């Protein structure tokens, strides 16, 4: 297998080949990706919602060449003409299989079947077959990479919410939680056939799957989470839920396509928590389409007055907007 590993870099940057493809459901395809560069793959702790990058081939079918890449690899890549550099997208490491030179990353990719909108990542995954090649950027043993946002601190009650793009992350978090964890997880997917049987929660965390069907994206999910929290909310200290609130009701211009509000980072420039580790009580981790996440953020932060230290809101994608890199 040919690899363009970059041994000097604090991350794994190299070519992977599709080893196996498994169509899990109408909206998910599971890919197993292998390559010699994964010999150096490693994270500090459990995978949880560990993110990584894939670079898909350009329209010509060619992958960008990262041979000899150094610290300026990103700027060098961006300087390549857009039609030649391929497309970089973010995914979740669903699982790591094997070891040594046989290490493989498992990734569950959402096929954008329902909306009729297609991106290069979804298109590539839909047609992937063993032997197809893709570039990865992934955590390297012994080097900080970041990319895990689930940091519950001393929280005693969990709320995990995601649409289909966050199913792999929620699945990883549920798998890695301690057996005595308590809370609830809500996952909205396009159709009932997308309820994945290998997403397993500890006994104290109730997992609810929601099929979107014909409803607007996130509407059923929003209603279920609002109902779960109730007017008092698990750790609410202020505010009230509007009577009968069931839909996000968020104007498109109010949605930040790069929404990323965690206890230690704010995409909108808000002051982050001085003490960013969640205290006792509720910790909410919410990811998916940015409009859906914005609606739930309003409900939790403005409506229920939950402290920003206790919440992580992540826009994984924005309807109608292709990812920038
Ligand atoms: C931390 C993180 C982890 C992620 N993990 C995963 C993961 O494990 N699996 C996964 O599939 N995705 C995951 N995503 C989301 C994924 O990066 C985006 O969906 C991305 O836009 C897909 O790229 P694309 O080339 O297919 O579409 P793009 O070129 O980015 O977009 C093209 C068009 O498709 C639309 N679109 C994009 N995504 C979707 C979607 N899911 N459904 C319907 N329409 C869509 C866009 O709105 C746009 O109109 C993750 C994102 C982040 C930030």
């Amino acid at each position: 297998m040919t690899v363009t590993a970059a041994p000097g870099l604090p991350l794994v940057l190299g070519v992977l080949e599709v080893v196996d493809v498994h169509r899990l459901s109408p909206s998910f395809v599971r890919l197993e990706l292998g390559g010699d560069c994964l010999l150096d793959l490693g994270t500090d702790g459990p995978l949880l919602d560990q993110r990584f990058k894939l670079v898909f081939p350009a329209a010509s079918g060619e992958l960008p060449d990262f041979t000899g890449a150094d610290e300026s690899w990103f700027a060098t890549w961006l300087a390549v003409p857009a039609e030649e550099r391929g497309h970089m997208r973010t995914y979740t490491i669903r699982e790591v299989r094997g070891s040594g030179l046989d290490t493989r990353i498992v990734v569950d990719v959402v096929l954008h079947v329902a909306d009729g909108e297609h991106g290069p990542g979804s298109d590539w995954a839909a047609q992937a077959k063993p032997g197809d090649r893709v570039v990865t950027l992934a955590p390297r043993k012994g080097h900080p990479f970041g990319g895990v946002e689930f940091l519950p601190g001393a929280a005693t009650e969990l709320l995990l919410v995601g649409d289909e793009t966050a199913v792999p992350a929620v699945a990883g978090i549920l798998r890695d939680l301690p057996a005595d964890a308590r809370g609830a997880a809500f996952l909205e997917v396009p159709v009932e056939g997308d309820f994945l049987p290998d997403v397993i929660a500890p006994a104290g965390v109730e997992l609810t799957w929601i099929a979107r069907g014909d409803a607007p994206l996130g509407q059923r999910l929003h209603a279920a989470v609002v109902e779960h929290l109730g007017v008092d909310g698990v750790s609410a200290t202020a505010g009230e839920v509007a009577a009968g609130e069931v839909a996000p009701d968020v104007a498109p211009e109010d949605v930040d396509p790069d929404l990323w509000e965690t206890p230690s980072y704010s995409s909108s420039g808000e002051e982050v928590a001085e003490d960013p580790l969640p205290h006792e009580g509720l910790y909410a981790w919410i990811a998916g389409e940015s409009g859906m996440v914005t609606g739930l953020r309003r409900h939790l932060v403005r409506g229920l007055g939950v402290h920003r230290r206790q919440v992580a809101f992540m826009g994984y994608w924005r309807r109608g907007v292709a990812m920038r890199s």
Side-chain angles (χ1 to χ4, degrees):
M1 188 179 296
T2 318
V3 275
T4 50
L9 285 177
L11 49 89
V12 167
L13 172 54
V15 176
L16 299 181
E17 274 187 18
V18 175
V19 177
D20 199 16
V21 182
H22 184 43
R23 184 70 180 258
L24 294 178
S25 73
S27 308
F28 290 101
V29 64
R30 175 164 292 173
L31 304 175
E32 215 172 296
L33 307 170
D36 296 0
C37 61
L38 295 185
L39 183 62
D40 294 325
L41 181 76
T43 50
D44 290 341
L47 281 175
L48 295 161
D49 55 338
Q50 178 71 60
R51 62 179 176 263
F52 78 123
K53 305 266 184 195
L54 290 174
V55 185
F56 300 103
S60 63
E62 292 297 312
L63 280 174
D65 184 5
F66 285 98
T67 311
D70 58 18
E71 295 73 27
S72 62
W73 64 269
F74 188 61
T76 311
W77 178 72
L78 276 183
V80 175
E83 57 287 1
E84 291 170 28
R85 67 171 174 252
H87 310 272
M88 190 182 296
R89 299 288 186 266
T90 307
Y91 293 92
T92 304
I93 300 182
R94 176 68 178 85
E95 195 186 327
V96 176
R97 292 188 182 153
S99 61
L101 287 172
D102 186 38
T103 304
R104 285 150 287 141
I105 286 178
V106 177
V107 56
D108 291 351
V109 179
V110 176
L111 308 173
H112 317 167
V113 279
D115 287 4
E117 303 217 42
H118 295 265
S122 158
D123 286 350
W124 185 87
Q127 294 168 15
K129 52 186 189 321
D132 286 357
R133 291 159 22 114
V134 65
V135 170
T136 192
L137 289 97
R140 188 182 200 106
K141 262 179 224 151
H143 295 273
F145 182 82
V148 169
E149 299 294 346
F150 180 78
L151 292 168
T156 42
E157 187 77 26
L158 300 172
L159 173 63
L160 304 169
V161 181
D163 67 12
E164 56 271 39
T165 59
V167 165
V170 171
I173 292 169
L174 291 172
R175 175 197 58 216
D176 294 336
L177 281 175
D180 61 352
R182 296 183 51 79
F186 292 88
L187 292 170
E188 181 182 294
V189 287
V191 293
E192 218 173 294
D194 293 319
F195 296 179
L196 301 182
D198 67 350
V199 180
I200 315 252
V205 180
E206 193 181 352
L207 171 61
T208 304
W209 288 96
I210 296 163
R212 181 173 308 131
D214 295 333
L217 195 151
Q219 189 183 70
R220 290 182 174 154
L221 183 64
H222 184 94
V225 173
V226 167
E227 191 187 335
H228 167 75
L229 289 171
V231 173
D232 294 321
V234 178
S235 65
T237 52
E240 289 206 340
V241 183
E245 182 178 356
V246 288
D249 192 23
V250 176
E253 59 275 18
D254 292 345
V255 179
D256 171 4
D258 300 317
L259 173 68
W260 208 267
E261 296 287 343
T262 69
S264 57
Y265 180 84
S266 169
S267 59
S268 66
E270 283 180 17
E271 206 171 314
V272 295
E274 260 177 42
D275 159 22
L277 274 186
H279 292 187
E280 271 192 17
L282 177 73
Y283 170 66
W285 180 108
I286 299 177
E289 201 280 332
S290 297
M292 177 279 282
V293 178
T294 302
L296 283 174
R297 177 163 195 257
R298 281 189 184 171
H299 182 70
L300 269 94
V301 176
R302 286 196 207 161
L304 298 178
V306 178
H307 195 285
R308 74 164 297 136
R309 183 181 54 225
Q310 308 293 124
V311 280
F313 298 100
M314 290 137 303
Y316 270 20
W317 63 288
R318 175 69 183 131
R319 165 170 270 170
V321 179
M323 276 202 151
R324 273 198 291 271
S325 62

